[in-house]
Amino acid sequence: MLLFSKRVSALSNLPSRAVNNGIRAFIIGTCKGQCPVDHPNEPKTKVYSTCAKLSEKTIIETPPSEMLIDSFGRFHSYLRISLTERCNLRCQYCMPADGVELTPSPQLLSPDEIIRLADLFVTAGVEKIRLTGGEPTIRKDIEDICLRLSNLKGLKTLAMTTNGITLARKLPRLKECGLSSINISLDTLVPAKFEFMTRRKGHEKVMEAINTAIDLGYDPVKVNCVVMRGFNDGEVGNFVELTRDKPINIRFIEFMPFDGNVWNVKKLVPYFEMRDKVVR
């Protein structure tokens, strides 16, 4: 399956609610199950959390809270929580080579605060939580928080967006803790290009993570690919081939501008052009 994203909205335009010293949680998605595509180079929010095993207990339906209804009358049942600003890659379109200034640890949410915050949103009607970063898998307490989140009554989907570098060895345990959906960011199938774009080695580890997710029964395994002219636009067909015999969904994403990523319109490949490459 293929999915193309225009990415016409930004986190800054979405409804938000301030929590804990200016740390913010963003509610994303729309009613009737319509959700935006995950974007590996979105500005990251500063709410920190981890994964969870979904409760096997009977889910009791509760009326949705009006706080999750925006000014257009849409009910938002999808919450994204950024676990950390840290990342083990330095993708050129996402982060400076020297990294970014990190928020002091005392200002970050504790595991108890993460669970409390998530519980409030789930009680209000959120049914899906996506864990992001930075790179969420580098949090040392990720499995523990996952397990606690899994017991939240009403949570139906627990997802994660990751670069896949450390995922292969952690995913079996994460699945036991309730991680039900996985998005792996991968912008090229060529190891040399991967190292150039991320300023790190690790292409084999990401491919191993994709195969491990398939072996563990994730269906589909979602792969996020930001398409950039002159870099990987010639690989669209190769990515499509990954979906021929394996339960992989490729999610082609437009290269979008944000502060510090040296965006250039000449690098943009519009979604309709990506679609035409696939059709041909």
Side-chain angles (χ1 to χ4, degrees):
M1 178 178 177
L2 307 177
L3 192 150
F4 301 89
S5 171
K6 287 184 71 173
R7 298 304 305 169
V8 294
S9 62
L11 285 177
S12 58
N13 295 324
L14 293 169
S16 64
R17 188 169 296 270
V19 293
N20 195 27
N21 297 325
I23 295 174
R24 302 170 72 85
F26 287 85
I27 311 164
I28 301 180
T30 61
C31 57
K32 299 181 181 179
Q34 298 176 356
C35 304
V37 178
D38 305 310
H39 198 303
N41 61 324
E42 286 177 330
K44 302 301 188 296
T45 61
K46 293 182 180 178
V47 175
Y48 297 91
S49 179
T50 41
C51 313
K53 181 179 180 182
L54 301 184
S55 174
E56 296 177 357
K57 300 178 182 179
T58 302
I59 294 175
I60 301 175
E61 297 293 339
T62 55
S65 170
E66 291 187 1
M67 82 171 189
L68 300 182
I69 300 175
D70 67 17
S71 58
F72 295 96
R74 298 171 300 185
F75 177 68
H76 297 269
S77 60
Y78 178 11
L79 174 69
R80 297 171 64 95
I81 303 178
S82 178
L83 311 185
T84 178
E85 297 163 316
R86 298 178 183 275
C87 188
N88 45 11
L89 296 181
R90 293 292 182 269
C91 297
Q92 295 191 33
Y93 61 73
C94 183
M95 186 179 289
D98 296 330
V100 296
E101 183 178 354
L102 300 175
T103 301
S105 295
Q107 296 182 21
L108 305 183
L109 292 179
S110 69
D112 287 342
E113 290 172 323
I114 292 166
I115 302 302
R116 174 59 176 160
L117 177 66
D119 186 38
L120 289 172
F121 277 103
V122 172
T123 300
V126 163
E127 296 180 338
K128 177 178 180 179
I129 292 178
R130 176 170 297 281
L131 308 170
T132 67
E135 172 48 40
T137 62
I138 65 177
R139 264 196 75 133
K140 295 180 180 180
D141 54 1
I142 186 168
E143 290 93 350
D144 178 61
I145 301 180
C146 284
L147 194 58
R148 295 175 64 185
L149 280 174
S150 69
N151 291 315
L152 297 179
K153 293 182 179 179
L155 185 63
K156 296 180 179 179
T157 303
L158 185 63
M160 177 187 289
T161 297
T162 169
N163 62 31
I165 294 295
T166 66
L167 184 64
R169 62 184 174 85
K170 294 187 176 184
L171 191 54
R173 176 58 182 158
L174 290 175
K175 187 178 184 189
E176 290 178 359
C177 292
L179 185 65
S180 57
S181 180
I182 193 79
N183 289 58
I184 300 174
S185 299
L186 180 64
D187 298 324
T188 178
L189 299 175
V190 181
K193 285 186 179 181
F194 179 92
E195 186 172 348
F196 169 78
M197 176 55 65
T198 66
R199 303 186 179 99
R200 299 288 190 275
K201 296 181 182 294
H203 184 268
E204 291 183 0
K205 293 181 179 179
V206 180
M207 297 304 298
E208 181 186 2
I210 293 173
N211 290 324
T212 298
I214 293 172
D215 292 342
L216 289 173
Y218 285 92
D219 187 359
V221 176
K222 301 173 185 177
V223 175
N224 295 349
C225 177
V226 178
V227 181
M228 292 161 280
R229 194 178 306 282
F231 175 69
N232 62 352
D233 52 318
E235 296 186 62
V236 169
N238 296 332
F239 272 99
V240 172
E241 283 297 319
L242 292 179
T243 71
R244 186 180 297 278
D245 301 313
K246 296 181 179 181
I248 295 175
N249 281 10
I250 302 296
R251 302 155 67 85
F252 293 117
I253 302 170
E254 285 185 348
F255 178 38
M256 297 299 290
F258 67 96
D259 290 345
N261 76 335
V262 196
W263 184 85
N264 188 320
V265 69
K266 294 181 180 180
K267 297 180 182 178
L268 172 65
V269 181
Y271 82 99
F272 59 81
E273 184 177 328
M274 304 179 209
R275 181 189 58 199
D276 289 344
K277 287 178 179 288
V278 174
V279 172
R280 290 199 300 266

